[in-house]
Amino acid sequence: MAKTSKKATKKFEKNHLKDTIERRKEFAKIKQRQQIKAKKQARHASDYAKVPDEDEGDQVPKENGRKAKDADKLKDMTVDEFFQGGFEIPEPTKKASKLAKIKEAKAKSGKRKRDASPDDDDSELGGGESDVSFEDPALDLDPQFDQEAEERPGAHREDLDALQEKDPEFYKYLKENDAELLDFAEDGDLAEVDDLSEDEPPKKKKKKGNAVEPLEEENDDDDTEVTMSMVSKWQKAMTEQHSLRAMRQVVLAFRAAAYVNEEDGKEYKYTISGPEVYHQLLVISLQHVPEVLGHHLPIKESVSGKVRFSTDTKKFRTLTPLLKSHASSVHHLLENLTDAPTIKLTLASILPLLPYLLSFKKILKNLIKAVISIWSDPSSTEATRINAFLLIRRLAVISDPSLREAVLKSTYQGLIKGSRSTTIHTLPGINLMKNSAAELWGLDPTIGYTTGFTYIRQLAIHLRASITHPTKDSYKAIYNWQYIHSLDFWSRVLSTHCSAATNLHLKTAAASPLHPLIYPLVQITLGALRLIPTPVYFPLRFHLTRALLRLSRSTTTYIPLAPSLLEVLQSPELKKPPKPSTLRPLDFATTLRAPASYLHTRVYQTGLGEQVAELLAEFFAVWARSIAFPELVIPPSVLLKRWLKEVSSPPTPSAAATHHGPHARARGRGNKNAKLTAAVALLLQKLDANARFVEERRRKVDFAPGNREGVEAFLAEVAWEDMPLGAFV
């Protein structure tokens, strides 16, 4: 019999386990709501005396007559019937009759059917769960079964305990693959906290004059409206005695305070009436609850940042409902706060709670979603964003690889969401997000590589689709702020963690696990840079060029950027005479597409020339100490000299003969922009001076070009700023 049961269990695990788990999750949500109703009904029932029914005596013999039949039901049940019954174990008690009602209700409901609609409620942070959910018709039960379920709010917990005794191997499998099914109480944690508070025995009464104090204390705890005296008493007990009893009351009151403006029909043990009480309750909850938890559940932290504490103790299991209730309240409060100091205080209170929440991944992921939303919100202050990032980084350090990957994915998604609109006001916040988020990818290089490869590949897919299937608006998937900020972000990540100068543990840039991502990122950026080579999108080209310059400078990777910059000089926008204009200079830092009013104007032409000269100088300054610098600058120098000759040449005789009058000179060749030509001429002088300096030092070397070490050590003793081009930049 045991072997047959074991085979059936394995067969069920293979064919039906996933569907059953999904149905049980849906069923668990309804049971959680029923637990709250059950507690409310129990309160009302206690106010009335139970009157025995006359027909009650006639039903007893019938129940006794069915004992033998109900006791043998488990033998005849199939595996599907067992799980559809909600883990109901028939016993020779009243549970047998309830199981019969469950089976009868399921018989009425019919077969289960699939629902192909995605379930957004179960989607988790960075999750890889399936988009297909399953609907169990057994959830649509008749009122009779609903009443029976409400009478047993802890039935699911009892059934799981019975399952652990009946089939420990399957219980272990569920614990390893779906721990949330075994510990699902999310809304029911408040009831558990309430039960813990009410079941705790009251303090012993003192003799003589102090005999009245315990009665007053109990009366205070039973009051539904929180007063300042109650808050002060709780605060004193938590600070002086680290009282768990006071912490329980504070958690329950804080729960009511967090949902004070919600009209969800839920009833809480306490009510908050005054703003002073609300403020004081929030302060002691956010400040002292983590302190009391730290006193009773001390945490040991290793040098590497990992935290350790025992989760198998009775005290932790007792405090688990309190911890889950408090975390749920903080999460709800965080989603509705708008005041910066209060948000900062709330974020600071979450930081010491993170080690305790590692066991509850669903709660932790929902909480970190809210934190990342604050971090990526353009309206958040800089101090608030920094506090939110410290919390995100702390979680990434102490979490396991799976949770760390989810944190990285959610952080990247928050960054892209927060960079949708880029203005002069939001740009500093976006740069703060990119610089801070780039640090996370170095905490675990292996996970950093997998996530980076995934998202860089997505960028490549978008670019390829825009090139291979061009439409009228296909370029918009590439030429937008989110795509540009994404490329710039990955250049910051690779520049930070593939640089031997900033990472002392790396001997070379190639030693970093993230180094293989440099080549695909450069190819994607160059492809996006040349997607639409028109003067309208020259500002976008400059943004991507700066991202590649950063990457080239940090990783000592040669990226050919001079051709794309020289294309700008060769465009008609910089060769033809401009139109006079009174427009303000264009802000290239916050512009991707130049407005039509700026095209062919002197202010736009001058701005383009300054950007090209600056970026060319920065590009050649990266390789100013290279032994091959004189040969590197020969083609660009020839093109720059040719360009200067074209834009500075006088009008041709044919043009002078054709056009007469005051505008004859303006109709000649050249752009007649002295400021622009002067900047390019100065750049040429610095390039020639740096090339001569390198040639003089190169004549003194005694190694062959094949000596790699000698080539890399060339001019290593000379500071970058002491080079002629370095001093100019």
Side-chain angles (χ1 to χ4, degrees):
M1 185 67 183
K3 291 184 178 180
T4 305
S5 178
K6 190 173 182 181
K7 287 182 179 178
T9 303
K10 289 183 177 180
K11 184 177 179 181
F12 174 80
E13 291 175 3
K14 181 179 179 181
N15 299 327
H16 305 288
L17 178 60
K18 184 177 180 181
D19 295 356
T20 305
I21 288 176
E22 294 294 334
R23 294 198 307 273
R24 289 305 302 160
K25 283 184 178 180
E26 297 294 333
F27 185 69
K29 291 180 182 179
I30 293 184
K31 275 213 169 185
Q32 291 163 16
R33 293 193 292 266
Q34 292 171 351
Q35 287 175 0
I36 301 173
K37 295 180 181 179
K39 186 170 182 62
K40 182 179 178 181
Q41 289 181 355
R43 257 193 225 111
H44 291 301
S46 61
D47 297 336
Y48 300 95
K50 185 176 181 181
V51 180
D53 194 357
E54 295 179 357
D55 300 333
E56 197 171 344
D58 297 335
Q59 295 178 357
V60 175
K62 296 181 181 179
E63 292 183 359
N64 293 334
R66 288 196 301 264
K67 280 186 178 180
K69 184 177 179 181
D70 292 338
D72 294 335
K73 281 187 177 181
L74 184 59
K75 297 181 180 179
D76 300 331
M77 289 177 65
T78 63
V79 179
D80 289 337
E81 291 175 346
F82 176 74
F83 283 98
Q84 290 176 6
F87 300 118
E88 294 287 350
I89 308 298
E91 297 180 4
T93 58
K94 293 182 179 179
K95 291 184 179 179
S97 60
K98 294 180 180 179
L99 179 60
K101 294 180 180 180
I102 294 175
K103 293 181 67 177
E104 182 181 353
K106 293 191 174 188
K108 295 178 181 179
S109 60
K111 296 183 179 180
R112 62 178 182 271
K113 57 183 178 180
R114 294 181 181 270
D115 184 8
S117 61
D119 189 2
D120 296 336
D121 296 335
D122 288 336
S123 61
E124 295 180 354
L125 183 146
E129 297 182 358
S130 173
D131 292 337
V132 181
S133 62
F134 297 93
E135 185 182 39
D136 189 359
L139 299 180
D140 302 328
L141 303 178
D142 53 17
Q144 182 180 3
F145 177 74
D146 289 341
Q147 186 177 359
E148 291 287 340
E150 290 177 2
E151 290 176 2
R152 298 178 63 241
H156 187 68
R157 182 74 265 169
E158 296 174 3
D159 296 335
L160 291 175
D161 293 339
L163 174 65
Q164 184 179 10
E165 297 177 1
K166 179 67 179 178
D167 195 347
E169 292 183 2
F170 180 62
Y171 185 91
K172 183 179 179 181
Y173 178 87
L174 285 179
K175 188 174 183 181
E176 293 173 354
N177 292 273
D178 201 325
E180 292 181 0
L181 179 64
L182 304 180
D183 190 15
F184 69 95
E186 189 172 312
D187 294 332
D189 55 358
L190 182 60
E192 295 175 11
V193 174
D194 201 359
D195 293 340
L196 284 173
S197 301
E198 294 174 354
D199 294 343
E200 190 177 54
K203 296 181 179 180
K204 296 182 179 179
K205 297 182 180 181
K206 296 182 180 180
K207 296 182 180 180
K208 298 181 181 179
N210 296 331
V212 185
E213 292 184 1
L215 296 177
E216 295 178 354
E217 182 179 354
E218 293 179 4
N219 292 335
D220 288 344
D221 290 343
D222 292 337
D223 291 341
T224 58
E225 183 176 351
V226 180
T227 61
M228 287 298 295
S229 60
M230 295 170 61
V231 176
S232 301
K233 183 189 68 173
W234 293 338
Q235 182 179 8
K236 182 178 180 181
M238 293 172 66
T239 54
E240 296 180 359
Q241 305 173 5
H242 299 286
S243 171
L244 289 176
R245 186 182 187 88
M247 187 184 72
R248 290 167 181 160
Q249 304 303 327
V250 169
V251 168
L252 289 171
F254 179 65
R255 181 83 168 186
Y259 291 85
V260 67
N261 293 325
E262 299 293 329
E263 297 180 357
D264 51 2
K266 294 183 180 180
E267 292 187 1
Y268 303 101
K269 181 176 180 181
Y270 294 105
T271 58
I272 313 298
S273 58
E276 296 180 357
V277 177
Y278 178 85
H279 172 75
Q280 190 64 19
L281 179 61
L282 254 62
V283 171
I284 68 168
S285 301
L286 298 176
Q287 289 183 349
H288 299 306
V289 169
E291 295 177 0
V292 175
L293 286 173
H295 175 78
H296 291 280
L297 298 173
I299 296 175
K300 297 180 181 180
E301 185 172 356
S302 62
V303 180
S304 60
K306 299 298 181 181
V307 294
R308 296 178 180 176
F309 76 99
S310 178
T311 58
D312 298 331
T313 60
K314 182 179 179 181
K315 183 174 289 187
F316 179 78
R317 291 194 298 268
T318 305
L319 294 177
T320 293
L322 286 167
L323 184 60
K324 295 171 69 175
S325 174
H326 183 69
S328 178
S329 302
V330 171
H331 170 237
H332 183 79
L333 180 68
L334 203 59
E335 289 182 332
N336 296 276
L337 286 177
T338 56
D339 183 49
T342 310
I343 295 176
K344 185 178 178 181
L345 176 63
T346 307
L347 293 173
S349 70
I350 299 175
L351 198 61
L353 295 177
L354 290 179
Y356 305 109
L357 297 176
L358 291 177
S359 302
F360 318 113
K361 290 189 177 181
K362 187 171 184 179
I363 295 177
L364 188 58
K365 287 181 179 181
N366 292 333
L367 188 62
I368 207 64
K369 273 185 181 180
V371 175
I372 291 176
S373 177
I374 293 174
W375 172 73
S376 60
D377 189 1
S379 62
S380 299
T381 62
E382 183 177 352
T384 303
R385 287 187 168 186
I386 292 175
N387 279 272
F389 173 73
L390 292 177
L391 198 151
I392 297 170
R393 186 185 185 280
R394 173 66 173 169
L395 178 60
V397 169
I398 66 175
S399 60
D400 57 356
S402 62
L403 188 58
R404 188 179 296 118
E405 182 179 2
V407 171
L408 291 181
K409 289 182 177 180
S410 183
T411 302
Y412 178 74
Q413 293 168 3
L415 169 65
I416 300 304
K417 181 180 178 181
S419 60
R420 183 184 298 272
S421 175
T422 302
T423 63
I424 191 175
H425 305 290
T426 61
L427 185 60
I430 294 174
N431 290 331
L432 174 64
M433 286 195 297
K434 289 190 287 189
N435 291 329
S436 58
E439 182 185 350
L440 300 179
W441 264 258
L443 299 177
D444 192 335
T446 303
I447 296 178
Y449 173 80
T450 56
T451 55
F453 178 84
T454 301
Y455 289 120
I456 291 176
R457 182 175 178 271
Q458 287 182 359
L459 297 176
I461 292 173
H462 287 301
L463 179 62
R464 183 180 64 182
S466 179
I467 295 174
T468 57
H469 303 287
T471 60
K472 183 179 179 181
D473 297 330
S474 61
Y475 73 95
K476 293 182 180 180
I478 308 300
Y479 279 16
N480 59 76
W481 274 116
Q482 290 178 311
Y483 196 92
I484 302 304
H485 281 307
S486 181
L487 290 174
D488 183 70
F489 168 72
W490 289 117
S491 76
R492 293 173 191 253
V493 171
L494 299 181
S495 301
T496 304
H497 302 295
C498 296
S499 174
T502 56
N503 298 274
L504 301 179
H505 62 280
L506 295 177
K507 295 182 179 180
T508 60
S512 172
L514 299 177
H515 188 269
L517 297 176
I518 294 179
Y519 177 77
L521 179 65
V522 171
Q523 294 299 317
I524 295 169
T525 307
L526 290 176
L529 184 143
R530 290 190 171 95
L531 183 62
I532 302 181
T534 58
V536 176
Y537 289 103
F538 281 164
L540 181 144
R541 177 174 295 209
F542 298 150
H543 280 285
L544 297 181
T545 302
R546 294 184 188 279
L548 292 177
L549 271 176
R550 182 192 305 111
L551 186 60
S552 179
R553 186 186 305 114
S554 300
T555 63
T556 63
T557 302
Y558 177 75
I559 303 174
L561 296 176
S564 63
L565 294 173
L566 293 174
E567 286 179 7
V568 179
L569 282 178
Q570 298 297 328
S571 67
E573 192 72 27
L574 291 178
K575 279 189 172 183
K576 294 182 178 180
K579 298 183 298 185
S581 174
T582 58
L583 296 172
R584 293 184 300 176
L586 184 65
D587 186 6
F588 287 90
T590 58
T591 304
L592 289 183
R593 185 179 187 276
S597 58
Y598 277 85
L599 297 179
H600 311 300
T601 61
R602 178 172 294 273
V603 63
Y604 186 54
Q605 186 184 76
T606 303
L608 290 177
E610 292 176 350
Q611 292 289 318
V612 170
E614 178 184 350
L615 291 174
L616 279 174
E618 291 184 7
F619 169 71
F620 287 114
V622 174
W623 308 104
R625 294 184 296 177
S626 173
I627 197 171
F629 184 83
E631 290 75 21
L632 179 65
V633 298
I634 289 177
S637 298
V638 172
L639 288 175
L640 289 176
K641 291 177 182 179
R642 186 180 301 169
W643 182 84
L644 283 175
K645 185 178 180 180
E646 290 178 358
V647 299
S648 303
S649 61
T652 60
S654 59
T658 305
H659 303 285
H660 301 280
H663 300 289
R665 181 180 179 85
R667 295 177 183 271
R669 297 172 60 188
N671 57 17
K672 303 301 181 290
N673 194 330
K675 187 177 181 180
L676 175 58
T677 55
V680 176
L682 181 61
L683 174 63
L684 265 175
Q685 294 177 6
K686 297 302 178 181
L687 291 179
D688 292 340
N690 199 87
R692 290 194 299 269
F693 180 84
V694 173
E695 286 179 348
E696 292 176 1
R697 300 296 293 267
R698 193 168 62 178
R699 294 191 186 100
K700 302 176 183 179
V701 301
D702 55 355
F703 54 84
N707 189 345
R708 191 68 180 177
E709 295 181 358
V711 171
E712 292 179 354
F714 179 72
L715 293 181
E717 72 281 359
V718 181
W720 174 76
E721 294 82 1
D722 296 336
M723 300 293 294
L725 190 57
F728 170 69
V729 174

